[in-house]
Amino acid sequence: MAAVQDGAVEPENEKEMKTETLNDSAGNHTAAVGGVLSSSPGAASSVGTPKPNTAAGSDEQQTLIAVLQFLRRNKLLESVEILRREAGILEETDEAQSSEAGGTGLSGVVNVSVEGGDATTSLFNRVSVASAAPPSTTVPQPAKGGEDQPDVNVVLSAYSQQGDPALYQVYYSGLKNFIESVLDCHRAELSQVFYPLFVHMYLELVYNNHENEAKAFFEKFSGDQECYYQDDLRVLSGLTKKEHMKGNETLLDFRTSKFVLRISRDSYQLLKRHLQERQNNQIWNIIQEHLYIDIFDGMPRSKSQIDSMSGSLAGEAKREANKAKVFYGLLKEPEIEVPLDDEDEEAENEEGKPKKKKPKKDSMGSKSKKQDPNAPQQNRIPLPELKDSDKLDKIMNMKEATKKIRLAPETLPSICFYSFLNAYQGLTAVDFTDDSSLIAGGFADSTVRVWSVTPKKLRGVKSAADLSLIDKESDDVLERIMDEKTASESKILYGHSGPVYGISFSPDRNYLLSCSEDGTVRLWSLQTFTCLVGYKGHNYPVWDTQFSPYGYYFVSGGHDRVARLWATDHYQPLRMFAGHLADITCTRFHPNSNYVATGSADRTIRLWDILNGNCVRIFTGHKGPIHSLAFSPNGKFLASGATDGRVLLWDIGHGLMVGELKGHTDTVYALKFSRDGEILASGSMDNTVRLWDAIKAFDDIETDDFTAATGHIHLPENSQELLLGTYMTKSTPVIHLHFTRRNLLLAAGAYNP
Amino acid sequence: MAEERRPKQCTVVLPTESMKAMAESVGVGQLQEDSCVALSEEVSYRIKEIAQDALKFMHHGKRRKLTTSDIDHALKLKNVEPLYGFQSQEFIPFRFASGGGRELHFYEEKEVDLSDIINTPLPRVPLDVSLKAHWLSIEGVQPAIPENPPPAPKEQQKVESTEPLKAVKPGQEEDRSIQGKGQGATAAENKGKDKCVIRMKPRSTHELSVEQQLYYKEITEACVGSCEAKRAEALQSIATDPGLYQMLPRFSTFISEGVRVNVVQNNLALLIYLMRMVKALMDNPTLYLEKYLHELIPAVVTCIVSKQLCLRPDVDNHWALRDFAARLMAQSCKTFSTTNNNIQSRITKTFTKSWLDDKTNWTTRYGCIAGLAELGPDVIKTLILPRLVIEGARIKAVIEGPVVSNIDKIGADHVQSLLLKHCASVIAKTRPLPDNVDQYRADYGYLGPMLCSHVGKARAQAALQAQQVNRTTLTITQPRPTLTISQGGSGGSVSRTPSIIKVPSSLTLPMQTLVSARPGTPTQPSPPATKYIVMATSAGAASTQQVITLSSSRSSSPITSTAPSSASTLQPVVKVEHGGAGGGGGAGGVGGSRTLQKYIVVSLPSASTTESKGTSLPPPSPLSSVPPSTTSLESGVKLEHSESPGASTHSPH
């Protein structure tokens, strides 16, 4: 790091850089720098073409400039150098690293910068360009609060300007009265302003040391806020001192990210006129500085429309955020020589059967030959080549698929429940292999246990000494290397030093991934039942990990708010996906392996493009931390479940919410589509497995152009009709679900007597 | 949106005294008040923060309980050293002491002898995690196997019966709190769908599998059969089995039809059996009977107020059945009465109406009063007490007037004792001292003097009870009671011995025969001769202060024996034995044979046992500090079963 010449200044500096990087990440990761520096987002948006990027970009520039100036003035030249280098990387590598800095401190950034290479120069140009641009209004603003701080601090401490603390309540209730008095159609929209305004006003009071006023303000108005913000309010309520604001992530998020509101033009004009008439600068300032108002033309949205989309930590997604094209189609299945298959079948089946199956297979083949226009290019992401064993497995898969039960509302799947007994509340994660032959469980006592569900026992490879005795030329050498003596029905994998929160089998069943509270992701071999690699990168608990459907890649996400994409043969991540404002709680690969979906405690879901690390979708609407995600087998849809017990369905192509399944009364920990996508199964903490009619849910959606263009959806209230079945377990929370290749549903959970 | 119930969130702060205490514990004395305030605010904030983080770990651990390890992990997240080894067995590891104006919290660190630890046997190794598979559903239908929960949980049954439309698909209540009212909701509805406006109540099927049919047959046969042991098992099964939901309609029809037939035939024993079935059904924690009350309540009320319940009303103890049924009625009123069905008020009206009727005969009169009295002291106060004068006059006319018929006389006698029993406790609580006989006579007429003496007793007992309750709280863990109460084969229909036994404090005899102290009990006709034998293995037993309160299962009156005094640990065991055969009046045709009831009191292992009896079998009359409870009855029955009827001498016929 920089040489520490001035002890008092250094930590300050560091803190600022964190803020700044987060600031950057909030701007939806487009990092378009050098746009017009609009003085206020409100002004920009009133033109009718919101420019989110410019706002974010300009902020970032200002901060950078300010910090650089400050450092230069203090003769911290080395720091200047480093900062420049780092900033360069920030912009060059798509923000992934930027938030890494926010989450894990500067060291991570420095690390990355080595990889970044020649980015430095390009950055230099940009910085100089930017510094040439006129500094925006906030930079020179002196601290009115009477604190004699360096102007850098002024830039960053967004709350320094203040009015009379006693008037805050008056301002707020004035606005409240106004909004309650407007026409019904505008009221719902304008009511959205309440929550962010409330929070920012409260924080301003706290920041300026008006503790009592802040408390009074909170008590008076916190009851007015929507109930789904309660968790955040609870955090806020604890915070009454300026000192508390340091290091509180929730607050940092509020200060650095703009709360996004979608308001129709009419409603916005109404609000603006009111505030200007009343000369209510306090509120107007907050709206301009901390809110991003996404203005659209047309009918104001209704209360239910707004409610269905709101609830996330930082407001709704901007419309632009979900405009990027997503190749949600499936990859072409590789062609596998059929003869092998035929031989097999003829050998084991009577004569009639192969004939029957051939036409089917052809039809499947022809289907896969057609290139789906929505599918990504086959080599968009380099995928591992198929091994012989993979091909065999594919053939097995196809064979099984022909025996698959066609599910429908009339023919529901059978459910086989695997109860973990004597787990003493310690079962934290479960996974099945795709062919349903193995189950793995992660436990709070740091162990991972693997069971064989089939009569075939788990065998490890023999020891080196024994292996040397084997005749390597023999045909069944693969059998011979296995140690029969130690074969058992279950194996325990020791290695983690904290609860194991996520596990995932590789598609070829040779590896197992596990992630833990200790901050590592471990790769285990299922041949030797030993740990092969410990992937270190997350410094905080890792909540979830998953293998790509094609193997080789895997994704992990955790408390540090960054999702990382890894390849099994690299000890450092290939991509880092930053942007979430709170813990990443679950991660899922898209079936075509080109995208990764992450659910977070900030109540949003983001879809990331693996190719370039961009965030291509932001889905808001959940009212609690998201704990489960599932892609439909055709890759078009995403289902997500949260602590509020609701399951939301999303159309990935259009970037829209298309359904809401209500019924669960507790956190939904498991979601899974059946093999053909007809049925969605959900498992929850409320000890139930529920089956939903997925086909109907997706058929009902209105995808007319208007809806697609505006993103204003009318959710049908049809949970009752879509629910096909509810199955209670005996005090056993359902934490994993899996459809076998024949569409038998497997569920797992620990019995809690 | 705005919710009033939201708790105030920002006010909770640790007290400054805690800060001082903590500061002292680390050697910082004389902390300024200002610093304490600042510290406590800071600490409160940090604690909240950590708690919020710990919640995260709980969620990811897929648990509902926050554990200490969650907090450890949250601390670790903040780079704070976790509290290693925080595994106190006790809820609060601190001890508190005060003295000299100072208060002190400290860890209690006991000296532990190392050899003790070494010599203690190792605890059992916890069972290893194992995996077990079962079918949760087979092609959409959940099989009824032990691994699956009973088909319909009680809450759902409740929802189904109280709000049938809501329960179309269980567990799918829409949470309207989130979707809010608002203008848009209507818009969406109008646009989408006009269908499904009328929701039909789903037809629920109660198909029984072959096993269930067999079970049903076995159970019903055992319940009304002659073998008491089998009946006990059957009732136990009804009271505890979680999977009876499907059979409920059958059971309720069985009971209502059974009562209908047996009332006509005056088959007292069978009526008793059926009422015991009702009791068992009510006791089953997984069943919600609301839907079947239309069949059960008439049956129960029949058993309370029917003119004649047995073949020989002068001999058979149908009063106990009335009492029992009245208690059942009270219990169902308590459980199921809502503003919609108004069970309690309807029942009250029914009872009052027939009680007020002059032509009502004594049996029905008794039933009505019992039914009302069981509904609680409030009902007694408002409905029964004002009528005591009239009722007293009526009783007087029968008892002191010209002898009309023996049956009327018995009836009047029972009504009198019933009134005394129930009213005394209420009056004891509401009427101020002193108890003046003349005053009582003026207020309550003919019953006045007797009431006065009863009230006196009730007051004394209440005082004792209070004392006893105090003592019981000290010894809460107890070995199983060794008290055996066994009764005649006909389900205890005979043990009608409403009596309060007071053992005088000078009790020194190893064996003593007590005579029923119940006033006015006519000795000739119905009640079996009761003999109380108090045996003590040592003379010391006599010096134990002990209250034994028993309620015999069919009669609602308490048998209270008091073995007062202080020191010894040897306590008497009360053993109730029926000498003779079943004697359940008309039961099973063994009519008439009197039972000799012997109450044998032998030594008890510890003081607590009998005390526990005292609490678990409270006298049904609502005395102070013991809630009027119908469970006493059940426990009496249970006790009888659990203590193996073979031990007693009775033999059912």
Side-chain angles (χ1 to χ4, degrees):
Chain A
M1 283 277 36
V4 183
Q5 293 172 350
D6 185 346
V9 173
E10 193 59 25
E12 194 87 88
N13 175 17
E14 204 167 307
K15 185 191 85 193
E16 280 143 19
M17 281 167 67
K18 266 195 203 175
T19 329
E20 162 253 311
T21 47
L22 271 183
N23 202 347
D24 161 31
S25 64
N28 274 334
H29 320 281
T30 28
V33 184
V36 188
L37 282 173
S38 59
S39 59
S40 77
S45 47
S46 63
V47 185
T49 50
K51 294 169 192 161
N53 307 335
T54 51
S58 64
D59 272 3
E60 184 191 332
Q61 291 307 317
Q62 291 160 19
T63 332
L64 260 181
I65 298 155
V67 172
L68 284 172
Q69 280 172 354
F70 174 76
L71 290 176
R72 229 176 270 133
R73 204 183 318 138
N74 285 287
K75 306 227 163 50
L76 293 169
L77 292 176
E78 204 170 333
S79 305
V80 174
E81 186 77 355
I82 286 171
L83 176 58
R84 280 184 177 171
R85 254 203 350 246
E86 282 165 7
I89 275 60
L90 296 180
E91 288 167 12
E92 204 57 28
T93 51
D94 282 310
E95 277 83 289
Q97 288 85 349
S98 70
S99 267
E100 151 80 10
T104 60
L106 289 174
S107 58
V109 183
V110 175
N111 252 344
V112 180
S113 70
V114 181
E115 295 166 26
D118 58 350
T120 332
T121 45
S122 63
L123 167 87
F124 259 117
N125 299 339
R126 286 193 212 172
V127 171
S128 50
V129 168
S131 53
S136 88
T137 48
T138 44
V139 177
Q141 202 171 49
K144 278 190 231 160
E147 300 148 82
D148 198 20
Q149 286 166 324
D151 44 351
V152 190
N153 216 7
V154 178
V155 179
L156 297 170
S157 59
Y159 296 117
S160 59
Q161 30 103 338
Q162 62 169 122
D164 183 354
L167 286 178
Y168 273 52
Q169 291 199 21
V170 181
Y171 290 149
Y172 189 86
S173 39
L175 187 71
K176 197 173 146 190
N177 290 338
F178 162 69
I179 289 178
E180 273 163 10
S181 69
V182 298
L183 284 176
D184 276 357
C185 60
H186 299 300
R187 190 189 305 149
E189 287 211 312
L190 293 181
S191 302
Q192 297 177 83
V193 180
F194 281 138
Y195 175 68
L197 211 58
F198 168 79
V199 176
H200 282 293
M201 288 174 86
Y202 176 74
L203 289 181
E204 246 180 62
L205 286 171
V206 170
Y207 187 85
N208 293 311
N209 289 324
H210 303 299
E211 195 181 327
N212 294 330
E213 284 89 347
K215 274 185 188 165
F217 183 77
F218 189 91
E219 259 178 45
K220 185 155 180 201
F221 297 114
S222 67
D224 297 347
Q225 310 306 328
E226 301 276 355
C227 52
Y228 39 78
Y229 290 121
Q230 209 163 351
D231 285 344
D232 291 339
L233 288 178
R234 204 171 297 135
V235 175
L236 272 186
S237 71
L239 174 135
T240 49
K241 293 235 184 301
K242 189 178 171 185
E243 295 81 59
H244 296 161
M245 293 175 82
K246 272 181 209 158
N248 188 319
E249 289 114 355
T250 316
L251 288 192
L252 224 57
D253 297 335
F254 257 109
R255 298 171 60 187
T256 54
S257 64
K258 292 202 164 168
F259 197 95
V260 183
L261 303 169
R262 275 193 217 171
I263 292 184
S264 71
R265 179 173 305 285
D266 295 347
S267 306
Y268 178 71
Q269 297 292 0
L270 216 60
L271 177 71
K272 197 172 159 188
R273 211 176 308 135
H274 167 76
L275 291 176
Q276 281 172 351
E277 274 170 20
R278 292 290 193 83
Q279 300 275 312
N280 202 338
N281 286 328
Q282 201 64 36
I283 287 182
W284 185 241
N285 279 344
I286 291 178
I287 288 179
Q288 289 207 320
E289 278 174 36
H290 300 301
L291 267 52
Y292 178 91
I293 298 186
D294 194 354
I295 294 172
F296 60 84
D297 292 305
M299 285 278 290
R301 292 188 297 168
S302 68
K303 174 90 178 124
S304 67
Q305 280 177 319
I306 293 168
D307 273 341
S308 68
M309 295 293 285
S310 57
S312 102
L313 192 64
E316 293 180 43
K318 293 167 195 170
R319 269 175 299 161
E320 279 62 35
N322 288 338
K323 285 284 177 265
K325 167 128 180 95
V326 174
F327 301 100
Y328 55 79
L330 300 185
L331 293 178
K332 209 163 61 177
E333 284 295 315
E335 288 177 39
I336 300 165
E337 309 85 68
V338 195
L340 183 66
D341 193 32
D342 274 348
E343 256 176 33
D344 253 18
E345 244 159 47
E346 266 157 10
E348 62 186 38
N349 289 327
E350 56 270 35
E351 298 230 335
K353 273 203 169 174
K355 281 179 201 164
K356 265 189 193 170
K357 276 178 189 166
K358 265 182 189 165
K360 261 188 191 170
K361 213 160 283 157
D362 287 347
S363 69
M364 281 168 81
S366 61
K367 212 196 286 172
S368 62
K369 263 168 214 156
K370 248 191 291 166
Q371 178 66 35
D372 185 347
N374 290 312
Q377 279 186 330
Q378 205 70 12
N379 55 356
R380 189 165 180 267
I381 301 291
L383 291 174
E385 276 184 34
L386 282 184
K387 289 177 291 199
D388 284 351
S389 59
D390 295 334
K391 285 179 186 161
L392 272 174
D393 196 53
K394 279 255 184 316
I395 291 164
M396 276 302 292
N397 192 352
M398 281 159 70
K399 264 201 239 166
E400 292 263 346
T402 56
K403 297 177 189 161
K404 184 165 56 185
I405 301 164
R406 296 244 164 262
L407 297 179
E410 298 79 39
T411 50
L412 293 176
S414 300
I415 308 172
C416 181
F417 200 97
Y418 286 93
S419 306
F420 287 77
L421 304 174
N422 308 316
Y424 308 104
Q425 303 246 324
L427 182 72
T428 43
V430 177
D431 195 30
F432 288 91
T433 52
D434 188 66
D435 68 347
S436 318
S437 62
L438 303 176
I439 295 185
F443 290 85
D445 62 2
S446 317
T447 58
V448 176
R449 288 162 198 255
V450 185
W451 280 268
S452 169
V453 184
T454 56
K456 222 170 110 187
K457 290 188 171 176
L458 297 174
R459 298 175 303 175
V461 175
K462 287 177 182 167
S463 68
D466 290 342
L467 281 177
S468 61
L469 302 175
I470 292 173
D471 173 16
K472 290 171 192 67
E473 302 303 312
S474 71
D475 290 339
D476 57 346
V477 67
L478 287 176
E479 272 297 305
R480 289 191 183 199
I481 58 169
M482 292 309 195
D483 191 354
E484 286 292 343
K485 268 178 267 167
T486 57
S488 62
E489 273 173 20
S490 79
K491 298 267 186 190
I492 306 180
L493 308 174
Y494 297 102
H496 281 294
S497 60
V500 178
Y501 288 118
I503 45 177
S504 174
F505 279 107
S506 73
D508 61 2
R509 294 188 298 285
N510 283 327
Y511 305 105
L512 175 69
L513 274 175
S514 63
C515 65
S516 157
E517 186 268 342
D518 62 14
T520 61
V521 180
R522 282 178 185 269
L523 182 73
W524 309 83
S525 164
L526 297 182
Q527 302 292 332
T528 59
F529 294 99
T530 51
C531 183
L532 301 177
V533 198
Y535 299 95
K536 292 171 188 171
H538 294 278
N539 283 335
Y540 290 105
V542 188
W543 296 131
D544 199 9
T545 185
Q546 202 210 4
F547 252 116
S548 144
Y550 293 87
Y552 186 61
Y553 299 109
F554 65 93
V555 63
S556 66
H559 178 70
D560 59 6
R561 306 155 178 222
V562 182
R564 286 166 161 80
L565 179 83
W566 311 73
T568 48
D569 56 359
H570 287 63
Y571 65 91
Q572 280 182 320
L574 306 179
R575 294 281 183 277
M576 294 202 272
F577 307 113
H580 276 296
L581 300 176
D583 301 31
I584 289 178
T585 48
C586 54
T587 53
R588 280 292 168 274
F589 260 97
H590 190 276
N592 69 18
S593 199
N594 278 254
Y595 297 91
V596 163
T598 55
S600 163
D602 68 8
R603 306 185 287 271
T604 63
I605 299 156
R606 281 171 188 257
L607 191 69
W608 309 88
D609 191 340
I610 286 179
L611 182 67
N612 48 24
N614 283 343
C615 174
V616 288
R617 289 286 179 271
I618 303 175
F619 295 133
T620 62
H622 271 296
K623 317 287 190 256
I626 290 144
H627 274 275
S628 52
L629 289 171
F631 280 98
S632 69
N634 62 11
K636 277 186 189 166
F637 303 103
L638 178 67
S640 59
T643 51
D644 57 6
R646 297 183 317 151
V647 175
L648 297 182
L649 304 173
W650 310 91
D651 181 333
I652 296 170
H654 295 98
L656 289 176
M657 186 195 297
V658 292
E660 181 184 25
L661 306 175
K662 288 192 241 171
H664 283 293
T665 54
D666 208 332
T667 311
V668 179
Y669 277 119
L671 281 172
K672 194 79 178 184
F673 281 95
S674 67
R675 291 275 167 165
D676 292 329
E678 312 97 333
I679 284 190
L680 173 65
S682 61
S684 155
M685 197 70 186
D686 65 8
N687 304 343
T688 58
V689 174
R690 285 170 202 254
L691 301 179
W692 310 87
D693 189 341
I695 294 193
K696 198 168 170 211
F698 295 132
D699 272 354
D700 284 356
I701 52 173
E702 335 156 29
T703 38
D704 52 82
D705 291 339
F706 175 76
T707 320
T710 56
H712 304 163
I713 33 117
H714 290 288
L715 281 185
E717 278 278 343
N718 57 357
S719 304
Q720 301 271 339
E721 297 156 43
L722 296 177
L723 181 63
L724 299 176
T726 303
Y727 305 97
M728 282 286 285
T729 66
K730 211 172 187 178
S731 55
T732 310
V734 186
I735 62 170
H736 192 76
L737 291 167
H738 175 79
F739 274 97
T740 66
R741 289 169 177 175
R742 299 189 189 185
N743 266 337
L744 171 71
L745 180 57
L746 306 181
Y751 176 59
N752 287 335
Chain B
M1 262 201 284
E3 274 140 87
E4 288 82 29
R5 62 190 156 76
R6 193 176 289 166
K8 289 194 175 174
Q9 287 164 322
C10 57
T11 45
V12 192
V13 168
L14 287 178
T16 50
E17 289 79 32
S18 315
M19 293 304 115
K20 277 199 182 125
M22 280 178 215
E24 277 174 35
S25 73
V26 294
V28 180
Q30 304 300 319
L31 209 58
Q32 297 288 313
E33 189 61 27
D34 291 351
S35 355
C36 277
V37 171
L39 263 179
S40 75
E41 275 175 9
E42 175 71 15
V43 169
S44 309
Y45 172 70
R46 296 295 164 201
I47 288 178
K48 281 177 198 168
E49 213 177 32
I50 285 164
Q52 279 155 3
D53 275 344
L55 271 182
K56 252 182 221 173
F57 285 92
M58 182 191 79
H59 277 303
H60 284 283
K62 294 166 174 101
R63 276 175 280 115
R64 277 204 196 84
K65 272 186 202 147
L66 192 73
T67 63
T68 48
S69 64
D70 290 333
I71 294 172
D72 284 350
H73 290 139
L75 287 170
K76 210 173 143 193
L77 216 57
K78 298 256 174 253
N79 262 332
V80 181
E81 189 84 345
L83 308 166
Y84 294 111
F86 184 80
Q87 288 187 337
S88 174
Q89 295 294 314
E90 285 132 287
F91 183 59
I92 299 172
F94 302 111
R95 291 280 172 278
F96 173 76
S98 64
R102 279 179 61 91
E103 292 172 343
L104 199 62
H105 292 272
F106 59 94
Y107 283 106
E108 192 173 37
E109 287 179 289
K110 285 183 198 144
E111 270 185 29
V112 184
D113 194 352
L114 211 55
S115 60
D116 280 356
I117 295 178
I118 294 167
N119 291 331
T120 45
L122 288 171
R124 280 223 315 241
V125 178
L127 292 170
D128 199 16
V129 183
S130 61
L131 202 58
K132 189 171 183 292
H134 72 269
W135 290 107
L136 184 66
S137 141
I138 296 171
E139 287 170 0
V141 181
Q142 189 161 27
I145 48 174
E147 286 87 351
N148 287 330
K154 195 169 181 180
E155 297 77 42
Q156 188 195 323
Q157 293 176 36
K158 185 169 182 177
V159 169
E160 253 172 39
S161 50
T162 48
E163 288 160 278
L165 289 185
K166 209 175 169 188
V168 177
K169 263 176 195 160
Q172 266 211 323
E173 302 82 63
E174 269 136 74
D175 62 347
R176 307 202 175 274
S177 61
I178 289 179
Q179 267 301 337
K181 49 272 156 183
Q183 334 91 348
T186 50
E189 273 159 27
N190 293 340
K191 194 173 179 188
K193 45 204 61 217
D194 303 318
K195 52 186 174 181
C196 80
V197 180
I198 305 160
R199 279 210 224 143
M200 298 289 280
K201 188 183 176 206
R203 195 162 46 97
S204 55
T205 52
H206 292 265
E207 284 166 27
L208 298 192
S209 65
V210 179
E211 292 84 357
Q212 283 173 315
Q213 289 173 22
L214 275 177
Y215 172 84
Y216 173 74
K217 189 164 160 272
E218 283 288 315
I219 287 281
T220 46
E221 275 173 10
C223 277
V224 296
S226 58
C227 177
E228 181 60 30
K230 264 194 178 173
R231 179 172 16 261
E233 271 176 42
L235 290 176
Q236 177 78 10
S237 172
I238 293 179
T240 53
D241 202 305
L244 295 183
Y245 171 66
Q246 294 288 327
M247 276 176 261
L248 256 187
R250 266 95 175 164
F251 276 128
S252 81
T253 313
F254 177 81
I255 290 166
S256 82
E257 286 300 309
V259 169
R260 201 199 306 267
V261 171
N262 287 297
V263 155
V264 176
Q265 296 184 350
N266 291 325
N267 194 339
L268 180 63
L270 278 180
L271 290 177
I272 290 169
Y273 300 151
L274 291 169
M275 285 304 106
R276 286 172 73 185
M277 276 181 82
V278 177
K279 172 76 183 154
L281 283 175
M282 280 189 159
D283 287 344
N284 191 320
T286 61
L287 296 178
Y288 194 75
L289 297 181
E290 223 263 7
K291 265 200 258 183
Y292 308 100
L293 288 182
H294 66 282
E295 285 188 315
L296 295 179
I297 286 189
V300 174
V301 173
T302 304
C303 289
I304 302 175
V305 298
S306 174
K307 267 184 211 161
Q308 196 178 355
L309 287 169
C310 49
L311 285 173
R312 303 168 52 166
D314 51 341
V315 183
D316 295 339
N317 188 358
H318 56 96
W319 313 105
L321 172 63
R322 292 178 200 275
D323 284 335
F324 181 45
R327 231 165 295 156
L328 279 181
M329 194 61 239
Q331 191 187 345
S332 48
C333 281
K334 215 180 292 166
T335 326
F336 303 112
S337 191
T338 62
T339 47
N340 284 340
N341 55 27
N342 273 328
I343 295 175
Q344 175 146 358
S345 64
R346 282 155 68 187
I347 288 291
T348 319
K349 259 180 223 154
T350 315
F351 283 146
T352 340
K353 202 177 145 215
S354 57
W355 184 26
L356 296 183
D357 191 348
D358 277 342
K359 293 185 205 78
T360 311
N361 64 15
W362 285 105
T363 46
T364 308
R365 196 172 290 277
Y366 179 91
C368 292
I369 299 172
L372 287 174
E374 291 295 345
L375 291 174
D378 285 341
V379 178
I380 294 177
K381 207 160 73 182
T382 52
L383 291 176
I384 299 184
L385 289 188
R387 277 188 60 84
L388 274 183
V389 180
I390 306 168
E391 208 56 34
R394 203 194 300 271
I395 292 168
K396 188 179 174 191
V398 175
I399 289 181
E400 293 181 357
V403 176
V404 187
S405 83
N406 200 20
I407 292 178
D408 272 356
K409 199 158 174 345
I410 297 168
D413 192 48
H414 272 96
V415 169
Q416 178 185 326
S417 57
L418 180 78
L419 284 172
L420 288 177
K421 184 184 72 183
H422 284 298
C423 296
S425 55
V426 175
I427 293 174
K429 259 184 270 178
T430 51
R431 197 182 164 96
L433 285 165
D435 296 329
N436 185 340
V437 177
D438 293 335
Q439 194 63 42
Y440 269 77
R441 193 193 302 280
D443 286 352
Y444 304 115
Y446 169 71
L447 293 173
M450 278 179 277
L451 211 47
C452 183
S453 72
H454 268 79
V455 169
K457 277 176 200 159
R459 286 195 207 276
Q461 199 168 2
L464 258 174
Q465 210 90 37
Q467 212 178 343
Q468 190 189 1
V469 164
N470 277 344
R471 283 184 9 168
T472 320
T473 50
L474 294 174
T475 52
I476 211 81
T477 52
Q478 289 148 348
R480 276 191 70 188
T482 52
L483 198 64
T484 34
I485 305 172
S486 60
Q487 284 160 338
S490 53
S493 66
V494 276
S495 62
R496 178 193 149 263
T497 43
S499 40
I500 297 171
I501 313 157
K502 292 249 170 184
V503 183
S505 58
S506 60
L507 179 76
T508 47
L509 312 174
M511 182 178 289
Q512 192 179 31
T513 307
L514 304 166
V515 188
S516 164
R518 182 172 163 268
T521 310
T523 36
Q524 306 106 12
S526 61
T530 312
K531 225 168 138 194
Y532 301 91
I533 307 164
V534 179
M535 293 193 300
T537 45
S538 75
S543 61
T544 350
Q545 192 189 28
Q546 185 56 53
V547 179
I548 306 164
T549 316
L550 297 176
S551 91
S552 73
S553 62
R554 291 302 144 207
S555 85
S556 53
S557 46
I559 308 161
T560 314
S561 64
T562 318
S565 207
S566 55
S568 157
T569 52
L570 272 174
Q571 307 288 326
V573 159
V574 178
K575 199 167 189 180
V576 184
E577 289 184 358
H578 293 285
V590 201
S593 76
R594 302 254 182 82
T595 30
L596 185 74
Q597 271 195 325
K598 276 196 270 179
Y599 286 52
I600 307 170
V601 182
V602 282
S603 75
L604 272 184
S606 80
S608 48
T609 12
T610 31
E611 273 165 31
S612 82
K613 274 303 96 181
T615 47
S616 71
L617 298 180
S621 54
L623 281 170
S624 68
S625 81
V626 179
S629 136
T630 47
T631 54
S632 66
L633 205 129
E634 177 228 9
S635 41
V637 174
K638 261 193 191 152
L639 201 71
E640 175 195 333
H641 304 322
S642 62
E643 299 302 329
S644 90
S648 64
T649 54
H650 89 270
S651 56
H653 298 273

